[in-house]
């Protein structure tokens, strides 16, 4: 009976430890809505037109001057890759919580204008 009580107390302590554990890094992450809105503003006024929907994955980091540094772009369209590099590389961004030197991935989708 005594061992059951000890095991029960041990299980309660382990569960309470897990429940009350605080991960402060979760609160430090930037809100993806903020990053998405900033990139939408940058790409908004463009003369680039496609006849079909195109998409890309943009891998980037932020430098100490709060500028986007494009690391790579994964897309089937070379025209879209060049356009995104031209528009985003070294463009200043005002998203809160962006950590310099950290790598980010943003999917970008452009729909046809027809």
């Amino acid at each position: 009976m005594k061992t059951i009580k000890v095991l029960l107390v041990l299980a309660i302590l382990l569960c309470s430890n897990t429940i009350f554990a605080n991960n402060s890094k979760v609160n430090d992450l930037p809100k993806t809505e903020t990053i998405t809105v900033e990139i939408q503003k940058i790409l908004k006024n463009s003369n680039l037109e496609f006849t079909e929907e195109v998409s890309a994955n943009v891998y980037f980091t932020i430098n100490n001057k709060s500028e986007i540094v494009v690391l790579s772009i994964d897309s089937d369209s070379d025209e879209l890759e060049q356009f995104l590099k031209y528009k985003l590389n070294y463009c200043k961004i005002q998203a809160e919580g962006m950590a310099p030197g950290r790598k980010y991935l943003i999917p970008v989708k452009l729909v046809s204008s027809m």
Side-chain angles (χ1 to χ4, degrees), residues 10-64:
L10 183 62
I12 291 172
L13 286 175
L14 287 174
C15 290
S16 66
N17 230 6
T18 306
I19 292 171
F20 293 113
N22 185 10
N23 188 357
S24 62
K25 295 212 177 223
V26 172
N27 296 333
D28 295 340
L29 294 176
K31 296 180 181 176
T32 53
E33 298 88 25
T34 309
I35 299 167
T36 305
V37 168
E38 287 288 323
I39 290 180
Q40 282 177 348
K41 287 179 188 177
I42 295 167
L43 299 177
K44 188 176 181 180
N45 298 324
S46 66
N47 297 333
L48 192 64
E49 294 183 13
F50 288 96
T51 57
E52 59 191 33
E53 186 176 289
V54 291
S55 62
N57 287 323
V58 180
Y59 298 92
F60 67 95
T61 187
I62 303 295
N63 65 13
N64 291 333

